[in-house]
Amino acid sequence: MPTSLFNDVFGNDAFGFLSLTEAVNNMPYVESRLGQLGLFNGLVEGTDTDMVVIDETEGQLQIMTTLPRGADPQKALKDKKAKSRAIKIPHLSFEDTIQASSLLGKCAPGKNQLETVAQKVNDRFQWMLNQVVAPTLEVHRLNALRGILLDADGVTVIHDYFTFFGVAQQTKNFQFSLATVNVREQCHQAIRLIEDYLDGVSYTGVRALCGRTFFDNLIKHPSVRDTYLNWTAAAELRGDMRKREFEFGGIVFEEYRGMRNLPNGLGVVPDAEAIIFPEGVSGMYRTYYAPADFLETVNELGQPLYAKVAPDWKYNRWVDTLIESNPLHINVRPRAVLKATQS
């Protein structure tokens, strides 16, 4: 490609940092399950630093006392023992290179070299969104939901939210091996554990993301089987067989498919377990975005994604494409999420 044409492509405003970042943030991509549920979309904020402060008293209920008209208003209670905790926002950055050799013979009919290169760059960012960003965010959401945010190796702990908030995880065992056990009653017990911890804070429903074995043993249990068969038969009549889920005992159970090829079970719910959690709790599941690691974004509010290109201005042999995100997915009430086991 002639140098002048190379300059025409990457000197264009469309490939400038601001334009490219805006374009990438507007690109459609396929959300994984937790992204589809929108669980961490209830409170989304950009910050101007790589730290965020969580106030321990946020979300606590306080009942107002009746007062005579003209009286001073009731004051908010301030717990002197309550803590404000600062937590660091993770930094994610991914780079890929488009080599000139990968474009040989790839000029589409009716398109010139400039248009071909521009399309290749856009296609590469779309690939990054679907094959890198989306699964990474799903893993972060899944592990934030169950209370321990893990890095890509499935071992390194980024944040342990139980330790951070000074609480212990709650566990509920389901006795599927006993044919006489009332599973509906065990569901009610699980819901009560959640409600007791929420202590009156409203929620819209309870969902369980299940590992394979847990889900199979649930739907095979004598006290559940008929309900499941009736539910799936009705779903089939509605033409809605997209996912294995059904409601039982006040909980929507679904088999979480996840990503089984990631190391150390990073992208799945363990086969013999489930995660049971409340939905619709105001401010419980949060996402914070820090600014990018660029001079242009210092002290700016963070955005979900950033993008840059770095061409080989010397020889025009390659173009580096960079996508960055600085997200913190956090469950500020980790004790309200149950680890369900089976026996």
Side-chain angles (χ1 to χ4, degrees):
M1 180 187 294
T3 299
S4 59
L5 187 56
F6 195 80
N7 292 338
D8 285 343
V9 175
F10 297 107
N12 191 298
D13 286 345
F15 287 97
F17 170 60
L18 294 179
S19 297
L20 199 55
T21 292
E22 181 181 4
V24 167
N25 275 290
N26 289 326
M27 279 184 178
Y29 64 96
V30 180
E31 289 273 21
S32 299
R33 185 62 182 134
L34 285 170
Q36 294 168 3
L37 289 173
L39 194 65
F40 286 87
N41 294 345
L43 193 157
V44 179
E45 291 184 3
T47 73
D48 58 4
T49 73
D50 61 353
M51 301 286 290
V52 66
V53 176
I54 308 294
D55 189 342
E56 192 175 66
T57 61
E58 289 181 27
Q60 292 184 359
L61 295 182
Q62 186 173 337
I63 306 301
M64 289 190 293
T65 303
T66 57
L67 299 168
R69 291 181 180 272
D72 291 336
Q74 180 181 346
K75 303 296 184 183
L77 292 177
K78 299 295 183 181
D79 185 351
K80 295 181 180 180
K81 296 181 180 179
K83 298 177 181 178
S84 292
R85 297 177 170 89
I87 188 168
K88 193 170 182 65
I89 299 176
H91 170 67
L92 304 171
S93 185
F94 186 85
E95 182 183 74
D96 195 14
T97 300
I98 300 173
Q99 300 284 351
S101 58
S102 69
L103 299 175
L104 292 176
K106 298 293 178 64
C107 189
K111 289 190 176 183
N112 58 33
Q113 289 172 296
L114 185 154
E115 293 171 325
T116 299
V117 173
Q119 186 61 52
K120 183 72 172 180
V121 171
N122 286 329
D123 290 347
R124 187 60 53 91
F125 278 115
Q126 190 71 65
W127 174 85
M128 286 179 171
L129 282 173
N130 286 318
Q131 302 299 319
V132 180
V133 173
T136 300
L137 295 181
E138 179 74 1
V139 164
H140 277 230
R141 292 173 184 135
L142 175 65
N143 288 282
L145 175 63
R146 53 187 176 193
I148 300 179
L149 186 60
L150 298 173
D151 213 342
D153 59 6
V155 175
T156 304
V157 176
I158 301 172
H159 294 302
D160 183 329
Y161 294 135
F162 297 107
T163 301
F164 183 73
F165 289 107
V167 298
Q169 185 175 44
Q170 294 197 94
T171 302
K172 172 60 186 170
N173 184 60
F174 285 74
Q175 297 171 295
F176 295 141
S177 61
L178 298 179
T180 56
V181 77
N182 187 334
V183 176
R184 189 182 301 274
E185 183 177 315
Q186 295 194 323
C187 292
H188 294 165
Q189 291 169 0
I191 293 172
R192 288 192 185 109
L193 286 174
I194 293 172
E195 291 178 337
D196 287 349
Y197 181 68
L198 292 178
D199 196 25
V201 174
S202 62
Y203 64 96
T204 58
V206 176
R207 183 175 294 269
L209 301 181
C210 306
R212 290 179 173 181
T213 307
F214 187 100
F215 190 84
D216 289 345
N217 288 335
L218 168 70
I219 63 177
K220 289 188 296 186
H221 193 273
S223 69
V224 179
R225 184 171 52 241
D226 288 345
T227 300
Y228 177 72
L229 292 175
N230 290 335
W231 182 279
T232 53
E236 189 171 1
L237 288 174
R238 296 193 303 268
D240 185 15
M241 296 298 291
R242 293 167 295 174
K243 48 188 177 292
R244 296 183 72 190
E245 70 170 40
F246 79 111
E247 185 173 354
F248 184 83
I251 300 174
V252 176
F253 291 92
E254 68 170 276
E255 180 180 345
Y256 182 76
R257 292 184 173 87
M259 293 162 276
R260 303 191 69 85
N261 292 326
L262 297 181
N264 298 302
L266 179 66
V268 297
V269 178
D271 285 348
E273 296 179 9
I275 306 169
I276 304 178
F277 58 95
E279 296 180 293
V281 181
S282 178
M284 177 171 166
Y285 310 106
R286 307 180 182 187
T287 303
Y288 296 96
Y289 292 106
D293 189 22
F294 306 138
L295 291 175
E296 302 97 314
T297 59
V298 171
N299 296 324
E300 297 285 337
L301 291 179
Q303 299 185 52
L305 296 166
Y306 295 90
K308 275 194 172 187
V309 293
D312 172 18
W313 291 112
K314 186 175 182 180
Y315 295 116
N316 301 354
R317 295 176 302 184
W318 43 258
V319 177
D320 284 336
T321 55
L322 174 74
I323 198 162
E324 180 178 319
S325 185
N326 301 277
L328 175 70
H329 297 93
I330 184 169
N331 170 12
V332 301
R333 298 178 183 270
R335 191 167 163 78
V337 177
L338 308 184
K339 175 183 177 181
T341 60
Q342 64 173 18
S343 61

